[in-house]
mmCIF file of all heavy atoms in Angstrom:
data_model
loop_
_atom_site.group_PDB
_atom_site.id
_atom_site.type_symbol
_atom_site.label_atom_id
_atom_site.label_comp_id
_atom_site.label_asym_id
_atom_site.label_seq_id
_atom_site.Cartn_x
_atom_site.Cartn_y
_atom_site.Cartn_z
ATOM 1 N N ASN N 20 46.073 154.855 123.956
ATOM 2 C CA ASN N 20 46.305 153.841 122.931
ATOM 3 C C ASN N 20 45.931 152.450 123.410
ATOM 4 O O ASN N 20 45.349 151.659 122.671
ATOM 5 C CB ASN N 20 47.773 153.868 122.489
ATOM 6 C CG ASN N 20 48.049 152.901 121.355
ATOM 7 O OD1 ASN N 20 47.663 153.138 120.227
ATOM 8 N ND2 ASN N 20 48.710 151.778 121.678
ATOM 9 N N LYS N 83 36.556 153.257 112.406
ATOM 10 C CA LYS N 83 37.600 152.859 111.469
ATOM 11 C C LYS N 83 38.896 153.623 111.727
ATOM 12 O O LYS N 83 39.996 153.065 111.695
ATOM 13 C CB LYS N 83 37.131 153.093 110.027
ATOM 14 C CG LYS N 83 38.089 152.586 108.947
ATOM 15 C CD LYS N 83 37.508 152.770 107.589
ATOM 16 C CE LYS N 83 38.445 152.193 106.519
ATOM 17 N NZ LYS N 83 39.771 152.762 106.556
ATOM 18 N N LYS N 106 48.687 147.711 112.775
ATOM 19 C CA LYS N 106 48.573 146.275 112.498
ATOM 20 C C LYS N 106 49.074 145.947 111.080
ATOM 21 O O LYS N 106 49.822 144.979 110.875
ATOM 22 C CB LYS N 106 47.109 145.858 112.649
ATOM 23 C CG LYS N 106 46.742 144.506 112.071
ATOM 24 C CD LYS N 106 47.411 143.356 112.799
ATOM 25 C CE LYS N 106 46.788 142.018 112.453
ATOM 26 N NZ LYS N 106 46.623 141.700 111.044
ATOM 27 N N GLY N 122 63.389 132.970 110.185
ATOM 28 C CA GLY N 122 63.026 132.723 108.787
ATOM 29 C C GLY N 122 63.671 131.466 108.256
ATOM 30 O O GLY N 122 64.578 130.894 108.863
ATOM 31 N N ARG N 188 81.099 118.418 75.036
ATOM 32 C CA ARG N 188 80.737 117.006 75.166
ATOM 33 C C ARG N 188 79.518 116.654 74.306
ATOM 34 O O ARG N 188 79.443 115.567 73.732
ATOM 35 C CB ARG N 188 80.467 116.693 76.634
ATOM 36 C CG ARG N 188 80.090 115.242 76.899
ATOM 37 C CD ARG N 188 79.918 114.927 78.376
ATOM 38 N NE ARG N 188 81.223 114.748 79.021
ATOM 39 C CZ ARG N 188 81.770 115.607 79.877
ATOM 40 N NH1 ARG N 188 81.137 116.732 80.185
ATOM 41 N NH2 ARG N 188 82.950 115.384 80.427
ATOM 42 N N MET N 208 83.925 114.102 45.236
ATOM 43 C CA MET N 208 83.687 114.218 43.807
ATOM 44 C C MET N 208 82.631 113.191 43.362
ATOM 45 O O MET N 208 82.687 112.016 43.766
ATOM 46 C CB MET N 208 84.984 114.023 43.020
ATOM 47 C CG MET N 208 86.085 114.998 43.402
ATOM 48 S SD MET N 208 85.604 116.727 43.221
ATOM 49 C CE MET N 208 85.360 116.806 41.453
ATOM 50 N N VAL N 263 35.438 102.531 29.480
ATOM 51 C CA VAL N 263 34.059 102.329 29.052
ATOM 52 C C VAL N 263 33.835 100.831 28.879
ATOM 53 O O VAL N 263 34.762 100.090 28.527
ATOM 54 C CB VAL N 263 33.779 103.093 27.741
ATOM 55 C CG1 VAL N 263 34.566 102.524 26.598
ATOM 56 C CG2 VAL N 263 32.297 103.109 27.430
ATOM 57 N N ASP N 287 27.088 105.959 21.732
ATOM 58 C CA ASP N 287 28.202 106.901 21.588
ATOM 59 C C ASP N 287 28.724 107.316 22.962
ATOM 60 O O ASP N 287 27.961 107.421 23.915
ATOM 61 C CB ASP N 287 27.746 108.156 20.833
ATOM 62 C CG ASP N 287 27.460 107.862 19.362
ATOM 63 O OD1 ASP N 287 27.857 106.772 18.898
ATOM 64 O OD2 ASP N 287 26.835 108.716 18.708
ATOM 65 N N GLN N 291 37.845 113.425 25.183
ATOM 66 C CA GLN N 291 38.568 114.610 24.721
ATOM 67 C C GLN N 291 37.710 115.468 23.782
ATOM 68 O O GLN N 291 38.182 116.047 22.812
ATOM 69 C CB GLN N 291 39.879 114.225 24.039
ATOM 70 C CG GLN N 291 40.908 113.622 24.981
ATOM 71 C CD GLN N 291 42.279 113.516 24.372
ATOM 72 O OE1 GLN N 291 42.420 113.319 23.170
ATOM 73 N NE2 GLN N 291 43.308 113.663 25.198
ATOM 74 N N GLU N 325 41.652 114.023 15.621
ATOM 75 C CA GLU N 325 43.019 113.838 15.158
ATOM 76 C C GLU N 325 43.925 113.631 16.367
ATOM 77 O O GLU N 325 43.862 114.394 17.322
ATOM 78 C CB GLU N 325 43.500 115.046 14.353
ATOM 79 C CG GLU N 325 42.736 115.263 13.045
ATOM 80 C CD GLU N 325 43.317 116.397 12.216
ATOM 81 O OE1 GLU N 325 44.316 116.987 12.677
ATOM 82 O OE2 GLU N 325 42.790 116.683 11.140
ATOM 83 N N GLN N 340 41.808 82.614 34.638
ATOM 84 C CA GLN N 340 42.180 83.304 35.877
ATOM 85 C C GLN N 340 42.222 84.805 35.687
ATOM 86 O O GLN N 340 41.868 85.569 36.582
ATOM 87 C CB GLN N 340 43.533 82.796 36.372
ATOM 88 C CG GLN N 340 43.939 83.371 37.734
ATOM 89 C CD GLN N 340 45.246 82.772 38.221
ATOM 90 O OE1 GLN N 340 45.884 81.992 37.518
ATOM 91 N NE2 GLN N 340 45.644 83.151 39.439
ATOM 92 N N SER N 346 46.216 94.964 23.441
ATOM 93 C CA SER N 346 46.613 96.369 23.394
ATOM 94 C C SER N 346 46.658 96.854 21.945
ATOM 95 O O SER N 346 46.856 96.071 21.019
ATOM 96 C CB SER N 346 47.990 96.570 24.052
ATOM 97 O OG SER N 346 47.972 96.122 25.384
ATOM 98 N N GLN N 348 47.442 100.724 19.381
ATOM 99 C CA GLN N 348 47.776 102.141 19.228
ATOM 100 C C GLN N 348 47.399 102.555 17.806
ATOM 101 O O GLN N 348 47.837 101.948 16.840
ATOM 102 C CB GLN N 348 49.253 102.404 19.490
ATOM 103 C CG GLN N 348 49.673 103.863 19.247
ATOM 104 C CD GLN N 348 51.114 104.127 19.643
ATOM 105 O OE1 GLN N 348 51.610 103.563 20.600
ATOM 106 N NE2 GLN N 348 51.784 104.970 18.888
ATOM 107 N N GLY N 390 26.168 84.257 30.479
ATOM 108 C CA GLY N 390 25.939 84.386 29.061
ATOM 109 C C GLY N 390 26.112 85.783 28.503
ATOM 110 O O GLY N 390 25.795 86.042 27.354
ATOM 111 N N VAL N 409 30.087 112.962 28.611
ATOM 112 C CA VAL N 409 29.334 111.813 28.110
ATOM 113 C C VAL N 409 28.198 112.323 27.233
ATOM 114 O O VAL N 409 27.399 113.146 27.656
ATOM 115 C CB VAL N 409 28.762 110.998 29.287
ATOM 116 C CG1 VAL N 409 27.936 109.834 28.760
ATOM 117 C CG2 VAL N 409 29.894 110.498 30.159
ATOM 118 N N SER N 486 28.222 101.200 29.685
ATOM 119 C CA SER N 486 28.151 101.545 31.098
ATOM 120 C C SER N 486 28.707 102.941 31.324
ATOM 121 O O SER N 486 29.440 103.465 30.502
ATOM 122 C CB SER N 486 28.937 100.527 31.927
ATOM 123 O OG SER N 486 30.294 100.576 31.581
#
Side-chain angles (χ1 to χ4, degrees):
N20 184 73
K83 186 176 183 303
K106 165 66 166 50
R188 180 176 281 109
M208 302 303 296
V263 66
D287 290 347
Q291 293 192 328
E325 295 185 1
Q340 185 176 4
S346 302
Q348 176 174 325
V409 178
S486 63

